[in-house]
């Protein structure tokens, strides 16, 4: 016979659940926590006092209750004291943020990344340098409880190795290990795919809060995706799932970075759009170049309009396939796909009207990312907080002990 969970297991679970509530929902009264968590008042009081003693939350009297009687204390996360480092490595941008418990970005640094081979040591050194700069500006009583990075590529979950990252020109790079060593905080650095993490970010703090079935499509040089089904990210057997950018939409079409042809990323990615618009080769690339094509189309430029129409056709076809398979409640366009979708929404919708099945399409919402360029960074922060929320006291004892 298997033993059930011990009192200690239950306490640990409840501490994590309570901390998650205030981390994602912000300051919450004890009374609300009691009803939301389905626990009695004395249990909530005991849990909040443990978390308060650990310095993870604090309790305050609400400003105004408007009701007679003793007001319920409000539990708020210790956002300025407990933080993580979140890193984002994209094809064109490096970003580092110090993010407080509760999701507040407390400080940040950004640098332009020049496209070219992935120089592991130089890159990790630069990111760690930014983190050190920010750390020097913190008060003495602050505590860093985690670190995580979003990268544009496929990442092995177990050790943070970038297995493939054509957009970063990275292959088999032990990025998590190198960044952890350079940070020197004695903390492991979790690494995740940027589109997967952005999907989680939109789901927990962005346009898809409370949406349990959501597909997020992230455009950069290529296209990445994150599929949330039943509230959970689909990672697949080894965490490489969700590569919707390499779904073939046009067999015999454009050659893709992955070695295949006619992938969604090859037909809708930055290069395809700029080439269709006659803008390839002039040294222009990245978000600005994509935006320029969308702006030109808005102003009536026929070539730009045609380019967006063609790209929108493929995008609509790709989304129709995904919608038929996963029946999401919402599809979110992020990264440069935000601009592309806004410039080609009519085309996307008309493709979907033909190729997506009616029951899947009827109540589907197509949206652009609410967190915009911060989605990947916010997602990395959530990944860094994940182990704190799983076992708050153990983590705090380890980092302060
Ligand atoms: Zn491909």
């Amino acid at each position: 016979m298997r033993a059930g969970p011990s009192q200690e297991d239950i306490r640990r679970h409840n501490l994590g659940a309570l901390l998650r509530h205030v981390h994602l929902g912000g300051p919450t009264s004890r009374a609300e926590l009691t009803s939301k968590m389905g626990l009695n008042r004395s249990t909530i009081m005991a849990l909040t006092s443990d978390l308060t003693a650990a310095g993870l939350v604090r309790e305050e009297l609400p400003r105004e209750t408007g009701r007679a009687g003793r007001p319920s204390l409000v539990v708020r996360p210790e956002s300025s004291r407990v933080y993580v480092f979140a890193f984002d490595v994209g094809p064109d941008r490096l970003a580092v943020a110090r993010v407080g418990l509760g999701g507040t970005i407390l400080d940040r640094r950004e640098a332009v990344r020049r496209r070219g081979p992935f120089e592991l040591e130089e890159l990790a050194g630069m990111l760690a340098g930014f983190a050190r700069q920010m750390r020097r500006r913190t008060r003495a009583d602050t505590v860093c409880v985690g670190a995580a990075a979003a990268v544009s590529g496929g990442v092995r979950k177990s050790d943070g190795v970038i297995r493939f990252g054509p957009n970063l020109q990275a292959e088999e790079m032990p990025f998590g290990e190198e960044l952890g060593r350079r940070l020197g905080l004695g903390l492991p650095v979790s690494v995740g795919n940027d589109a997967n993490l952005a999907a989680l970010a939109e789901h927990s703090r962005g346009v898809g809060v409370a949406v349990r079935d959501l597909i997020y499509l992230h455009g950069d040089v290529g296209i990445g995706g994150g599929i949330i089904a039943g509230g959970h990210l689909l990672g697949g057997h080894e965490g490489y799932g969700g590569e919707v950018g390499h779904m073939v939409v046009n067999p015999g079409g454009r050659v893709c970075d992955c070695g295949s042809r006619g992938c969604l990323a090859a037909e809708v990615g930055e290069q395809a759009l700029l080439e269709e618009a006659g803008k390839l080769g002039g040294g222009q690339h990245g978000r600005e170049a994509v935006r320029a094509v969308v702006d030109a189309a808005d102003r009536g430029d026929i070539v730009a309009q045609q380019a967006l129409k063609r790209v929108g056709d493929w995008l609509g076809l790709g989304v129709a396939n995904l919608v038929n398979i996963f029946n999401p409640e919402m599809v979110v366009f992020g990264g440069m796909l935000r601009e592309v979708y806004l410039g080609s929404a009519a085309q996307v919708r008309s493709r979907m009207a033909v190729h997506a099945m009616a029951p899947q399409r009827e109540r589907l919402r197509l949206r652009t990312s609410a967190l915009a360029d911060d989605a990947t960074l916010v997602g990395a922060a959530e990944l860094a907080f994940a182990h704190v929320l799983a076992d708050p006291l153990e983590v705090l004892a380890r980092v302060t002990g």
Side-chain angles (χ1 to χ4, degrees):
M1 202 180 88
R2 242 184 73 209
S6 67
Q7 284 300 315
E8 190 51 32
D9 290 340
I10 294 169
R11 177 171 164 263
R12 183 176 299 131
H13 169 83
N14 286 341
L15 284 169
L18 199 158
L19 191 60
R20 179 178 296 276
H21 265 294
V22 297
H23 171 65
L24 291 176
T28 312
S29 74
R30 275 195 199 170
E32 265 179 279
L33 288 167
T34 304
S35 73
K36 276 184 181 166
M37 293 180 63
L39 297 169
N40 62 43
R41 279 169 52 195
S42 61
T43 307
I44 293 292
M45 201 167 88
L47 293 171
T48 50
S49 80
D50 282 353
L51 292 173
T52 304
L56 292 165
V57 302
R58 67 173 188 279
E59 293 186 277
E60 289 173 353
L61 279 169
R63 284 192 191 91
E64 193 65 58
T65 64
R67 274 187 298 177
R70 205 155 54 115
S72 177
L73 288 172
V74 168
V75 184
R76 50 172 73 234
E78 280 282 17
S79 301
S80 56
R81 197 182 99 80
V82 180
Y83 70 93
V84 296
F85 279 119
F87 300 89
D88 180 29
V89 180
D92 301 316
R93 178 185 85 152
L94 300 173
V96 186
R98 200 165 71 77
V99 181
L101 189 65
T104 317
I105 295 180
L106 302 167
D107 198 358
R108 64 190 297 159
R109 298 282 187 281
E110 267 189 46
V112 172
R113 178 179 184 267
R114 245 187 269 283
R115 289 187 187 177
F118 191 91
E119 303 291 350
L120 178 64
E121 294 185 2
E122 185 190 325
L123 212 120
M126 193 168 168
L127 293 170
F130 284 149
R132 267 194 303 278
Q133 280 177 20
M134 286 188 269
R135 199 150 185 258
R136 276 199 290 270
R137 291 161 49 118
T138 61
R139 293 195 322 253
D141 69 336
T142 57
V143 52
C144 177
V145 293
V151 299
S152 174
V155 179
R156 185 160 59 211
K157 218 159 90 179
S158 57
D159 58 5
V161 166
I162 304 174
R163 291 295 307 284
F164 57 93
N167 305 332
L168 297 175
Q169 299 186 36
E171 214 176 273
E172 300 297 336
M173 288 287 178
F175 178 61
E177 187 189 319
E178 181 67 19
L179 184 55
R181 196 174 65 76
R182 299 218 169 222
L183 274 177
L185 295 170
L187 289 167
V189 178
S190 307
V191 185
N193 170 266
D194 56 356
N196 280 190
L197 293 176
L200 284 175
E202 292 292 345
H203 173 61
S204 53
R205 299 189 180 277
V207 69
V209 171
V211 176
R212 292 178 58 77
D213 294 277
L214 173 154
I215 295 181
Y216 172 87
L217 295 172
H218 188 80
D220 246 319
V221 182
I223 290 174
I227 297 165
I228 291 177
H232 297 284
L233 184 72
L234 285 185
H237 177 45
E238 291 181 277
Y240 307 130
E243 285 288 353
V244 298
H246 300 288
M247 169 173 55
V248 178
V249 289
N250 183 21
R254 291 167 189 272
V255 173
C256 183
D257 283 338
C258 72
S260 177
R261 263 182 190 278
C263 296
L264 186 66
E267 300 295 348
V268 177
E270 175 192 311
Q271 185 160 352
L273 179 69
L274 297 182
E275 194 179 318
E276 292 287 341
K279 299 289 182 195
L280 201 64
Q284 300 174 65
H285 61 62
R287 201 70 61 83
E288 288 307 309
V290 169
R291 208 166 279 149
V293 173
V294 177
D295 288 348
D298 277 347
R299 289 194 308 267
D301 180 319
I302 304 287
V303 179
Q305 284 173 352
Q306 289 297 331
L308 274 168
K309 196 162 172 248
R310 192 180 147 84
V311 164
D313 262 340
W314 295 121
L315 184 58
L317 192 61
V319 173
N321 281 325
L322 293 169
V323 164
N324 288 342
I325 298 169
F326 294 101
N327 184 24
E329 184 182 338
M330 184 184 282
V331 173
V332 182
F333 300 94
M336 72 99 170
L337 273 188
R338 205 168 176 268
E339 273 83 35
V340 170
Y341 171 69
L342 290 173
S344 66
Q347 206 64 27
V348 171
R349 287 182 183 278
S350 78
R351 270 287 168 170
M352 294 201 41
V354 176
H355 297 287
M357 297 168 75
Q360 280 92 321
R361 182 165 34 94
E362 277 162 1
R363 302 180 63 176
L364 173 73
R365 288 181 286 164
L366 301 179
R367 293 284 184 276
T368 53
S369 157
L371 300 167
D373 289 346
D374 282 344
T376 47
L377 209 51
V378 170
E382 292 307 315
L383 177 62
F385 276 120
H387 67 289
V388 183
L389 300 176
D391 192 353
L393 299 188
E394 190 278 329
V395 171
L396 208 76
R398 183 156 45 81
V399 296
T400 54

